[in-house]
Amino acid sequence: MDMQFLRSAIRKELVVYGLEPSWGIHHVSTENPFNLSDDIIEIYRPFLDALVVELLNNNESEELDIELKKEIIKVLFEKCVVDNKVYSLLDAIKVTIKSFVSCVDKNSATGLKLPTFIEEGR
């Protein structure tokens, strides 16, 4: 599944903090200008996967038509929990990136804020 819209949201936030999106941690391809974006997208992939499964289960078609794609983009406004607070995924990306920058500054992963699902559902 193409996740360019999610990658773009992450990349934008990385650049806001002065980070170079091509310098990744686990993604290190010299041909990929978005290695760090792709590292961080993995944190948010379960939210997108869960929504796609739900949409496909509730749709008679198994194809991703334009209407389903419009619904998938709405994942950015789904709710999640970060640091015991509820955020939209779009805002959670900002919190994660800000905490990542702090971790880099401290040279420690302590304090990295990652999203979790809301236990009661959407």
Side-chain angles (χ1 to χ4, degrees):
M1 147 139 244
D2 187 358
M3 298 190 297
Q4 293 300 320
F5 69 96
L6 188 55
R7 185 192 229 187
S8 176
I10 292 168
R11 184 178 57 240
K12 176 187 154 284
E13 201 61 29
L14 289 170
V15 171
V16 164
Y17 281 94
L19 297 172
E20 172 54 55
S22 67
W23 297 347
I25 299 166
H26 292 290
H27 291 83
V28 292
S29 170
T30 57
E31 297 176 14
N32 181 1
F34 311 116
N35 287 310
L36 187 54
S37 302
D38 291 347
D39 284 333
I40 293 173
I41 206 170
E42 298 301 336
I43 299 165
Y44 289 90
R45 183 183 298 275
F47 295 94
L48 184 60
D49 291 347
L51 179 62
V52 168
V53 167
E54 180 182 319
L55 289 172
L56 290 175
N57 284 338
N58 293 331
N59 193 334
E60 293 177 15
S61 170
E62 291 187 15
E63 293 190 29
L64 289 175
D65 60 18
I66 190 72
E67 292 306 315
L68 276 178
K69 288 179 181 180
K70 287 179 184 177
E71 290 300 313
I72 290 170
I73 289 174
K74 292 180 184 177
V75 74
L76 293 172
F77 305 102
E78 290 290 319
K79 300 296 183 196
C80 67
V81 176
V82 180
D83 199 27
N84 295 317
K85 297 177 187 150
V86 177
Y87 292 96
S88 69
L89 249 59
L90 195 56
D91 289 333
I93 288 168
K94 295 174 183 180
V95 173
T96 297
I97 303 286
K98 183 177 181 180
S99 72
F100 174 74
V101 169
S102 178
C103 289
V104 169
D105 288 343
K106 295 179 200 171
N107 197 27
S108 170
T110 303
L112 184 60
K113 297 179 181 177
L114 303 174
T116 59
F117 285 94
I118 295 176
E119 290 189 27
E120 295 84 35
R122 297 179 19 197

